[in-house]
Amino acid sequence: MRRLVVATAVPLLLLLGACGDDPATTATSPTTSSASDEPSAATSDDASAEPSEEPADAGEGAAGTPELLDFTATTVGGDPFDGASLAGSPTVLWFWAPWCPTCRSQIPQVQDLAQTYGDRVGVVGIGSLDSAEAIADFAGDAEGVTHLEDVDGELWTRFGVAEQSSFVVLDADGKVVFEAGYGGSDDLGAEVDALLG
């Protein structure tokens, strides 16, 4: 019995210590990151569970929109956002959580991407794993980027994201060409340069 308690407590402590997780947020989060590159499922009793949904494929959605971009969302400012607007040019999607110190440290990198590539590449932040107010506060510190509010994690699920911070790079046809999970954003600029040829 004692071994069972220790075996259960150690993974729980590791999960709570990942990326500065707030224990209250962890309980309601769709997923959180761990110190490793393996995703974790905070809402599952099975610590080895994978995300329940694969990302939608890049087939055709409504009116010729790539299926992956066939969604609507809301910006942190309350404006409607149509995923179809991302079709036609490469896009960098940045999935972040307001309480994540790694995400906060990536703000200059993401702002630099938005400034460097201007209108040639879309840069969209997708905040989740917290309240709408906390997401809006964080987004205010990362100017020059379109930020979407994803309190319920629908967009994270759509793109198969299982940890913060994550990046997903889409080509002009809405196909995923690069993904980087927690701490794997070093090649991001090179991937965007390659897309632009």
Side-chain angles (χ1 to χ4, degrees), residues 122-140:
V123 180
V124 179
I126 303 173
S128 191
L129 308 179
D130 212 328
S131 68
E133 295 79 16
I135 292 169
D137 285 347
F138 180 99

Side-chain angles (χ1 to χ4, degrees), residues 132-153:
E133 295 79 16
I135 292 169
D137 285 347
F138 180 99
D141 293 336
E143 297 174 354
V145 176
T146 299
H147 290 282
L148 305 181
E149 174 189 302
D150 190 33
V151 172
D152 57 10

Side-chain angles (χ1 to χ4, degrees), residues 3 17 52 58 60 64 78 95 132 159 184 187 189 196:
R3 286 184 183 180
S52 59
E60 292 293 312
F95 295 86
F159 287 94
D187 297 329
L196 294 174

Side-chain angles (χ1 to χ4, degrees), residues 57-85:
D57 67 25
E60 292 293 312
T65 300
E67 187 174 337
L68 199 55
L69 300 181
D70 191 14
F71 69 87
T72 57
T74 304
T75 68
V76 294
D79 296 322
F81 183 88
D82 188 352
S85 68

Side-chain angles (χ1 to χ4, degrees), residues 2 14 16 27 38 40 44 48 51 58 81 87 96 117 123-124 127 133-134 136 142 150 152 170 183 186 194-195:
R2 187 170 159 166
L14 290 173
L16 292 175
E38 292 296 319
S40 63
S44 171
S48 64
F81 183 88
W96 52 265
Y117 296 106
V123 180
V124 179
E133 295 79 16
D150 190 33
D152 57 10
L170 307 173
D186 292 346
L195 271 177

